Amino acid sequence: MNIGQAAQKSGVSAKMIRYYEQIGLISPPSRTDSNYRVYGPDEVHVLRFIKRARTLGFSVEETAALLGLWQDRSRASAEVRDIASGHIQALEAKIDELQGMVKTLRHLVHCCAGDNRPDCPILDDLAGTPAGSQTKGH
């Protein structure tokens, strides 16, 4: 199948397939005499693996490591678990950071009158100025 068909079957865009090939995440496929890429079921399976890993938020580097472990039948599952555990910790840290952002924004929205006056604690906070002190020209 061609790259468009592989993209459709895997859910990975043709552009991303080319990118993954360029960075070495996937092996270059065989080519026809007219230099078109040719993909088979095995390549589509690898692309689906990559898509799922990326959907779960694994970085390209983590995905490459997981892909290598998946393809290595003599792997130790502890290595896979370590990568996944590290990713969970990173996701939890990101969740904490996002929750802090939501809390701050909720507070700022609560403090904003939302009326026709120019005073705005949201803009004051973004500008790093104390609430109510306007700087000219900004």
Side-chain angles (χ1 to χ4, degrees):
M1 73 188 81
N2 66 29
I3 195 167
Q5 294 164 323
Q8 185 177 23
K9 287 185 182 269
S10 67
V12 177
S13 71
K15 181 179 180 179
M16 288 307 296
I17 293 172
R18 287 186 203 95
Y19 171 71
Y20 292 151
E21 181 184 336
Q22 178 187 1
I23 65 170
L25 187 58
I26 60 172
S27 300
S30 58
R31 293 191 175 251
T32 65
D33 290 338
S34 41
N35 209 30
Y36 288 104
R37 293 170 172 86
V38 177
Y39 298 88
D42 290 343
E43 289 86 2
V44 170
H45 196 188
V46 168
L47 289 168
R48 285 185 182 144
F49 180 97
I50 292 168
K51 169 125 175 115
R52 180 67 177 144
R54 299 291 287 143
T55 298
L56 288 172
F58 286 102
S59 68
V60 171
E61 294 78 15
E62 290 168 326
T63 299
L66 290 168
L67 185 59
L69 290 166
W70 178 57
Q71 293 170 331
D72 177 6
R73 302 307 293 165
S74 64
R75 71 182 169 263
S77 65
E79 292 179 69
V80 179
R81 183 184 172 104
D82 288 346
I83 293 170
S85 293
H87 187 57
I88 289 169
Q89 289 175 346
L91 288 173
E92 287 173 338
K94 185 68 172 175
I95 289 167
D96 289 344
E97 181 182 338
L98 290 170
Q99 287 175 334
M101 292 164 61
V102 167
K103 183 179 176 183
T104 298
L105 285 170
R106 276 198 178 123
H107 172 73
L108 292 171
V109 166
H110 175 74
C111 293
C112 181
D115 55 18
N116 291 327
R117 296 180 347 186
D119 297 337
C120 181
I122 299 168
L123 294 177
D124 290 342
D125 182 84
L126 292 174
T129 57
S133 67
Q134 300 273 337
T135 51
K136 282 224 179 253
H138 294 114

